[in-house]
């Protein structure tokens, strides 16, 4: 075998093993230890460790705090970047989009859906009615989760340790004079969001922007995405947002949850 052929074969085998590590995670096994990854991917612990460290550095895998045999790993939404096939298999955008269109027509406001990727939310579906932000929002747009309504319901849906890890790793700049910028204040707010089941953010991401969001759940009841209605402070009061937009938003989320349970 020539040197070029040997290198090609080695590269192919590395790709095969790397993909096996990613495929080791599924709906029944969302979190795995190093030993479990090695067993399910049918590779050595040493090889599994190398692939997990690489995927973690690239942002495709998230490891729990600490080290040693008890440390667990999970995929992050960044695996969506590997191709639209993952997004299609996930089905969330396809399921969500028609519901967003119906709600947008009902409330005559912009509605969106997003998932959590580290300390950011990533838009996966959207129906805009008018431009209410200084930046254009499209599929793939990212915003800091801590200052957004969808980000807060997504963070509130995490286990406490994972939530704290995200907050500790996130910069918390004062995006406006209303932005909550301390981890303690955000933890208190996220506890309230978790208890009431929805989040309202008033001018914390951008002055004059108000939005209310609720979570979406998979068949296990885990929070997998969020949906929101966003509007301008010059057009709608906080009371109007809560009284007129939150109930239909919750009704829509319940309908989407029912469909996600079938996926």
């Amino acid at each position: 075998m020539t040197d070029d052929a040997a290198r090609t074969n080695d590269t192919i085998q590395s790709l095969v093993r790397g993909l096996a590590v990613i495929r080791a995670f599924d709906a029944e096994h969302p979190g795995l230890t190093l030993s479990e990854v090695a067993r399910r991917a049918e590779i050595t612990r040493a090889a599994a460790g190398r692939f997990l460290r690489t995927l973690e550095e690239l942002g495709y895998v998230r490891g729990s705090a600490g080290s040693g045999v008890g440390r667990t790993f999970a995929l992050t939404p960044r695996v969506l970047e590997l191709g639209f096939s993952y997004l299609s298999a996930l089905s969330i955008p396809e399921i969500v989009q028609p519901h967003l269109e119906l709600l947008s027509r009902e409330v005559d406001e912009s509605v969106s859906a997003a998932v959590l990727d580290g300390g950011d939310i990533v838009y996966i579906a959207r129906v805009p009615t008018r431009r209410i932000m200084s930046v254009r929002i499209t599929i793939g747009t990212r915003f800091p989760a801590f200052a957004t309504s969808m980000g807060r319901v997504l963070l509130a849906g995490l286990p406490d340790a994972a939530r704290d890890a995200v907050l500790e790793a996130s910069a918390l700049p004062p995006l406006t004079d209303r932005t909550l910028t301390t981890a303690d204040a955000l933890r208190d707010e996220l506890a309230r969001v978790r208890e009431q089941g929805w989040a309202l953010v008033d001018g914390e991401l951008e002055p004059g922007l108000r939005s209310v969001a609720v979570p979406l759940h998979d068949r296990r009841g885990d929070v997998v995405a969020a949906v929101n209605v966003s509007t301008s402070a010059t057009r709608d009061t906080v009371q109007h947002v809560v009284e007129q937009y939150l109930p239909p938003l919750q009704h829509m989320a319940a309908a989407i949850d029912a469909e996600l349970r079938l996926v």
Side-chain angles (χ1 to χ4, degrees):
M1 180 182 293
T2 66
D3 288 344
D4 286 344
R7 282 194 295 270
T8 299
N9 185 62
D10 181 64
T11 300
I12 291 172
Q13 290 305 310
S14 295
L15 177 60
V16 168
R17 290 195 294 270
L19 292 174
V21 168
I22 293 175
R23 288 198 300 269
F25 300 89
D26 58 25
E28 285 71 40
H29 305 86
L32 297 170
T33 65
L34 173 60
S35 296
E36 291 169 338
V37 169
R39 183 172 64 254
R40 288 178 58 78
E42 298 181 346
I43 58 178
T44 66
R45 277 175 50 90
R50 289 195 298 271
F51 285 116
L52 286 170
R53 284 193 295 273
T54 300
L55 290 168
E56 189 174 17
E57 289 177 3
L58 294 173
Y60 296 116
V61 165
R62 177 176 58 248
S64 63
S67 60
V69 294
R71 192 176 189 222
T72 59
F73 299 87
L75 296 179
T76 75
R78 186 159 289 180
V79 295
L80 296 175
E81 296 175 358
L82 297 177
F84 285 106
S85 58
Y86 180 87
L87 192 60
S88 297
L90 190 63
S91 296
I92 295 178
E94 291 84 356
I95 290 174
V96 165
Q97 188 65 35
H99 291 277
L100 298 186
E101 292 169 0
L102 288 173
L103 180 62
S104 181
R105 287 199 295 270
E106 179 181 350
V107 300
D108 192 29
E109 293 292 351
S110 298
V111 295
S112 307
V115 294
L116 188 66
D117 182 15
D120 294 336
I121 61 167
V122 181
Y123 281 73
I124 60 170
R126 178 167 168 79
V127 179
T129 59
R130 54 183 68 85
R131 185 161 177 171
I132 57 176
M133 290 197 67
S134 60
V135 298
R136 182 168 174 259
I137 301 174
T138 61
I139 304 305
T141 293
R142 307 170 75 94
F143 288 126
F146 81 96
T148 65
S149 61
M150 289 192 288
R152 287 185 181 172
V153 295
L154 289 166
L155 290 172
L158 294 175
D160 290 347
R163 175 207 63 198
D164 290 344
V166 172
L167 292 179
E168 290 169 7
S170 299
L172 305 175
L175 303 175
T176 74
D177 58 5
R178 292 172 174 251
T179 310
L180 293 181
T181 58
T182 68
D184 286 342
L186 284 164
R187 271 190 287 268
D188 290 343
E189 176 63 15
L190 293 177
R192 189 168 70 88
V193 169
R194 180 185 292 178
E195 181 178 358
Q196 68 187 13
W198 53 274
L200 186 141
V201 169
D202 183 12
E204 294 189 50
L205 178 66
E206 183 169 301
L209 176 68
R210 286 182 176 142
S211 67
V212 61
V214 297
L216 299 178
H217 306 84
D218 63 13
R219 66 174 65 187
R220 297 192 307 268
D222 294 333
V223 175
V224 293
V227 288
N228 84 341
V229 174
S230 53
T231 186
S232 169
T234 61
R235 191 166 55 253
D236 291 306
T237 65
V238 169
Q239 182 178 355
H240 186 268
V241 170
V242 173
E243 292 180 354
Q244 299 301 316
Y245 298 158
L246 179 58
L249 181 64
Q250 291 172 319
H251 180 75
M252 180 193 72
I256 294 173
D257 282 357
E259 294 188 34
L260 288 176
R261 284 194 292 269
L262 302 176
V263 175

